[in-house]
Amino acid sequence: MTDTLEPTPDHGAEHHSHGYISDKKRYLARLKRIEGQARGIHRMVEEEQYCIDILTQISALTSALEGVALGLLDDHLKHCVVDAAKLGGEAADVKIKEASDAIARLVRS
Amino acid sequence: MTDTLEPTPDHGAEHHSHGYISDKKRYLARLKRIEGQARGIHRMVEEEQYCIDILTQISALTSALEGVALGLLDDHLKHCVVDAAKLGGEAADVKIKEASDAIARLVRS
Amino acid sequence: MTDTLEPTPDHGAEHHSHGYISDKKRYLARLKRIEGQARGIHRMVEEEQYCIDILTQISALTSALEGVALGLLDDHLKHCVVDAAKLGGEAADVKIKEASDAIARLVRS
Amino acid sequence: MTDTLEPTPDHGAEHHSHGYISDKKRYLARLKRIEGQARGIHRMVEEEQYCIDILTQISALTSALEGVALGLLDDHLKHCVVDAAKLGGEAADVKIKEASDAIARLVRS
């Protein structure tokens, strides 16, 4: 009944499309592939495949994740941050701080 | 006599442990968790959770992958590269080149 | 009428503070230190110091640069991007795209 | 006459060529350019140039540093680590640990 879309009182007007909704199917497909990559790496270790080949797959997975993160961040800036900026005031400051912190985590991870 | 030196043409002879074998169980457990993290991120997008929260999970997953990669690389240096270095010659050169290329991919991914 | 919209053809009109101006002295001090670190690494290679010690200094320099970049980006989001978002329209889109591209370069470098 | 170039079996010896010696001139030239890039970024902030342009230069400098680091690391593996591996025992373990730690710092910085 109550599905997952119940209003979230904070960071979200009640309909709150979180920006990436337009591309949601594409994100889900990319994340399915990422899950498959993770499973593949597990299998490679299980089968004791060659380290270097496993490392290559880990780099590929990391790049794929990075791509998703950069896409989500771009969507977030385009929608949530722009909306908050229009409101101005503290709401805008909070959104910017949040975005900057997320960027720092991405750059450093 | 020296059985560790038998040529393994496709680095896949059946008795050729690839260095990380001692910790195999631990790697498999870490990779299971990583699969779970990937699945969790898929679910967050499906449920249209807040972008920033998804980005936080992606950074955590990237760090976890990085940890596995650095562990595998350390094992690889300790075993395969050291063994090859003892042999010397072209085999050693090839192993070092391979390791350096893998490191470059990790640093840049 | 709306004077904030005056075209700044080379984004460098003289009264156009670029956001980081408040902290300019601090940025300049950090960048002076970074120059010193770069000079130090040059000297270490010249003196043929131990590779690993040089690598440690390079990692420190990279982290220092990253810190400056994240600071500038935060300032940029707080000022230029927020201002552009208020204007809306294409100007906002351009600023967001520019910021996202810069973030992607940072994450990948 | 030129005492810095005497061959040294392991880098414990006082003359200790550190592997990158063959390319020393090239490293020094690259590091000179890196110093110039750092100076250029300082000047850009001083002149209050556009944030995004400064960020682009910082990404370029970070990539240049990364290139030097990966080069030094490759040289280090080829020479110091291979030499230590031949000796075996604790000396080899120490070198591998040192290299792995340096790689982890690079990957995470």
Side-chain angles (χ1 to χ4, degrees):
Chain A
M1 206 64 78
T2 61
D3 56 345
T4 54
L5 293 182
E6 287 202 309
T8 55
D10 64 325
H11 46 242
E14 61 281 328
H15 295 306
H16 69 116
S17 100
H18 277 317
Y20 53 82
I21 190 84
S22 57
D23 267 337
K24 190 175 165 181
K25 260 190 203 160
R26 215 173 128 247
Y27 279 121
L28 289 175
R30 290 166 83 178
L31 286 164
K32 265 291 163 221
R33 266 199 304 279
I34 282 169
E35 272 182 69
Q37 285 175 280
R39 221 167 12 245
I41 292 166
H42 185 277
R43 193 182 51 243
M44 290 177 90
V45 171
E46 197 152 54
E47 296 173 356
E48 291 173 39
Q49 289 187 31
Y50 189 48
C51 293
I52 295 293
D53 297 337
I54 301 174
L55 290 174
T56 301
Q57 293 310 312
I58 293 179
S59 293
L61 176 44
T62 303
S63 293
L65 277 168
E66 221 166 70
V68 169
L70 291 170
L72 288 173
L73 192 63
D74 182 55
D75 283 345
H76 181 68
L77 292 176
K78 267 184 201 141
H79 298 268
C80 307
V81 171
V82 165
D83 289 351
K86 283 177 193 157
L87 296 177
E90 206 170 321
D93 295 348
V94 167
K95 285 288 174 209
I96 297 289
K97 167 118 187 55
E98 217 180 47
S100 285
D101 290 349
I103 294 163
R105 280 191 299 270
L106 280 181
V107 168
R108 290 186 170 131
S109 73
Chain B
M1 206 68 78
T2 60
D3 59 324
T4 55
L5 295 185
E6 286 199 311
T8 56
D10 65 337
H11 35 245
E14 62 279 322
H15 66 295
H16 192 108
S17 103
H18 277 318
Y20 53 82
I21 190 81
S22 57
D23 268 334
K24 191 176 166 182
K25 262 191 203 160
R26 212 172 130 249
Y27 279 120
L28 289 175
R30 290 166 82 178
L31 286 164
K32 266 291 163 219
R33 268 198 303 280
I34 282 170
E35 273 182 69
Q37 285 175 281
R39 220 165 15 244
I41 292 166
H42 186 277
R43 194 181 51 241
M44 290 177 90
V45 171
E46 197 153 53
E47 297 174 356
E48 291 175 38
Q49 290 189 30
Y50 189 48
C51 292
I52 295 292
D53 296 338
I54 302 174
L55 290 174
T56 301
Q57 293 309 312
I58 293 179
S59 292
L61 175 45
T62 304
S63 293
L65 276 168
E66 221 166 71
V68 169
L70 292 170
L72 288 172
L73 192 64
D74 182 55
D75 282 346
H76 181 69
L77 292 177
K78 267 184 201 141
H79 297 268
C80 305
V81 172
V82 165
D83 289 350
K86 284 177 192 159
L87 294 180
E90 206 170 321
D93 295 349
V94 167
K95 285 289 173 206
I96 297 289
K97 169 119 188 52
E98 215 181 47
S100 285
D101 290 349
I103 294 164
R105 281 192 298 270
L106 281 180
V107 168
R108 290 186 171 132
S109 74
Chain C
M1 207 66 79
T2 57
D3 59 324
T4 54
L5 291 187
E6 286 202 309
T8 54
D10 64 337
H11 33 243
E14 62 280 321
H15 65 296
H16 190 109
S17 104
H18 277 317
Y20 54 82
I21 190 83
S22 56
D23 267 336
K24 191 175 166 181
K25 259 189 205 161
R26 214 174 130 247
Y27 279 121
L28 290 175
R30 289 165 83 177
L31 286 164
K32 266 290 162 221
R33 267 200 302 281
I34 282 169
E35 272 182 70
Q37 286 176 279
R39 222 169 9 248
I41 292 166
H42 185 277
R43 193 182 51 243
M44 288 178 90
V45 171
E46 196 152 56
E47 296 174 357
E48 292 174 37
Q49 290 188 30
Y50 188 47
C51 293
I52 295 292
D53 296 337
I54 302 175
L55 290 174
T56 301
Q57 293 310 312
I58 293 179
S59 293
L61 176 43
T62 303
S63 293
L65 277 167
E66 220 167 70
V68 169
L70 291 171
L72 288 172
L73 191 64
D74 181 56
D75 283 345
H76 182 67
L77 292 176
K78 268 184 200 140
H79 298 268
C80 306
V81 172
V82 165
D83 289 351
K86 284 177 193 157
L87 295 179
E90 205 170 322
D93 295 348
V94 167
K95 285 290 174 207
I96 296 289
K97 167 117 188 54
E98 216 180 49
S100 284
D101 290 349
I103 293 164
R105 282 191 298 271
L106 280 180
V107 168
R108 290 186 171 132
S109 74
Chain D
M1 208 64 80
T2 61
D3 57 327
T4 55
L5 293 182
E6 288 201 309
T8 59
D10 66 330
H11 59 244
E14 63 279 317
H15 296 304
H16 69 120
S17 106
H18 278 319
Y20 53 82
I21 191 81
S22 55
D23 268 334
K24 190 176 167 182
K25 261 190 203 159
R26 212 172 131 249
Y27 279 121
L28 289 174
R30 291 165 82 178
L31 286 164
K32 265 291 163 221
R33 268 199 302 279
I34 281 169
E35 273 182 69
Q37 286 175 279
R39 220 165 15 246
I41 292 167
H42 185 277
R43 194 182 51 244
M44 290 177 89
V45 171
E46 196 152 54
E47 296 172 356
E48 291 174 36
Q49 290 188 30
Y50 188 48
C51 293
I52 295 292
D53 296 337
I54 302 175
L55 290 174
T56 301
Q57 293 310 312
I58 292 179
S59 292
L61 176 43
T62 303
S63 292
L65 276 168
E66 220 166 72
V68 169
L70 291 170
L72 288 173
L73 191 64
D74 181 56
D75 282 345
H76 182 67
L77 292 177
K78 266 184 202 140
H79 298 267
C80 305
V81 172
V82 165
D83 289 350
K86 283 177 193 159
L87 295 178
E90 206 170 322
D93 296 347
V94 167
K95 285 292 170 207
I96 297 291
K97 168 121 188 51
E98 217 181 46
S100 285
D101 290 348
I103 293 164
R105 281 191 300 270
L106 281 180
V107 169
R108 291 188 170 130
S109 75

